[in-house]
Amino acid sequence: MNKIIVTITLCISMILTGCQNSGGASSKDVDPTLTKSNSAKFFSKSAWQSCAVGAGIGGIGCVLLGGKTGTCLASAAVGCGVLMGANYYLDTKRAEFADAEMRLDAYIQDVQQNTYEVQAVTETAKAVLDKNLATLKTLNKQIKSQTVNQTQAKNELTQIDANIAYLKDKLSRMQKVEKDWVSIAAQEKQSGVNVSKLDKQINQLHKQIAVLEKQVNLVSQQRSAVKVS
């Protein structure tokens, strides 16, 4: 009975958190290349909310229909990965895989998936950010030569600002995912599990996130230097 109560409590927490989490950058004025690409769904607010609410409702339904606690946690978590939060994810995997090696293999596959998703976002973002850098370079020249079209410049800067905010929001979600993976690895290590392979995969994820962060910071710095009255 206690396990059932804990499971239902976890699921309700997921639903409430998903419903309440309404933060995130607006997609208004963002370059459509970013918002309409195949990678747009990765690390998005809508994906996180859908996952949280869906997992919570699915888990409760499973328990109420008489399912086993471990099975319900695992089935509710399908497709969500670490997006559901470190502790919830850890509980589901421990319920699903009693064997530490099998659990580690599952972790590694999910970290690799997250890394692939970051790479996809980075590739899409690079094309947009390179274009933004070229625009900023042109605007700088026009400002110095006093040939800038104020209206056009403001429109272009509005989109660049929106792109930066949109990508910074994704970066914060990526960094949250990385932080959760570090927490999971630490908890498993504390339990006596050898997490060296998992740590290597998390490091790869960190490096890929750093690539995107560097690109965004470069454009952000260049943008701050462009002043249009």
Side-chain angles (χ1 to χ4, degrees):
M1 178 61 71
N2 287 339
K3 287 185 177 180
I4 292 175
I5 293 172
V6 169
T7 303
I8 291 178
T9 301
L10 281 170
C11 293
I12 291 174
S13 175
M14 288 294 293
I15 294 170
L16 292 176
T17 304
C19 291
Q20 291 170 358
N21 192 325
S22 57
S26 168
S27 59
K28 184 177 183 293
D29 298 319
V30 177
D31 191 314
T33 303
L34 293 175
T35 59
K36 298 186 183 302
S37 68
N38 291 331
S39 64
K41 62 182 178 292
F42 300 141
F43 306 100
S44 65
K45 178 184 69 176
S46 59
W48 192 93
Q49 288 177 321
S50 296
C51 177
V53 175
I57 293 174
I60 290 174
C62 178
V63 171
L64 293 179
L65 289 173
K68 293 182 179 179
T69 301
T71 303
C72 289
L73 282 171
S75 62
V78 171
C80 290
V82 79
L83 281 178
M84 67 186 66
N87 291 333
Y88 189 97
Y89 176 82
L90 186 61
D91 286 341
T92 64
K93 290 305 177 187
R94 283 178 171 173
E96 189 176 1
F97 301 107
D99 181 79
E101 286 301 316
M102 292 179 67
R103 199 161 63 244
L104 279 172
D105 287 343
Y107 293 154
I108 289 170
Q109 286 181 10
D110 283 349
V111 177
Q112 288 173 336
Q113 176 62 28
N114 287 153
T115 304
Y116 160 76
E117 291 168 353
V118 174
Q119 288 173 336
V121 173
T122 302
E123 288 173 7
T124 302
K126 187 178 187 304
V128 173
L129 294 174
D130 284 349
K131 183 173 66 175
N132 289 166
L133 282 173
T135 299
L136 291 169
K137 184 177 180 180
T138 299
L139 286 174
N140 255 326
K141 288 181 179 179
Q142 291 175 346
I143 290 170
K144 288 177 181 178
S145 63
Q146 297 184 336
T147 59
V148 65
N149 181 311
Q150 296 287 337
T151 301
Q152 181 180 341
K154 287 179 181 178
N155 288 338
E156 289 174 334
L157 291 175
T158 294
Q159 185 174 80
I160 291 173
D161 288 340
N163 293 343
I164 292 171
Y166 177 85
L167 289 171
K168 281 188 173 181
D169 181 64
K170 280 197 179 290
L171 269 171
S172 70
R173 295 177 192 279
M174 292 173 184
Q175 289 161 347
K176 169 64 167 59
V177 166
E178 181 192 352
K179 183 179 178 181
D180 283 343
W181 278 120
V182 170
S183 173
I184 289 165
Q187 290 182 67
E188 287 287 24
K189 184 176 182 179
Q190 194 172 25
S191 299
V193 179
N194 183 345
V195 296
S196 58
K197 291 182 180 179
L198 177 59
D199 283 339
K200 287 181 181 179
Q201 291 299 324
I202 295 172
N203 188 48
Q204 290 301 312
L205 174 63
H206 173 79
K207 288 180 179 178
Q208 190 59 54
I209 293 173
V211 171
L212 177 60
E213 185 175 24
K214 183 178 180 180
Q215 292 176 357
V216 174
N217 286 343
L218 176 61
V219 176
S220 184
Q221 289 167 5
Q222 294 295 318
R223 165 62 184 96
S224 64
V226 177
K227 308 293 183 184
V228 176
S229 57

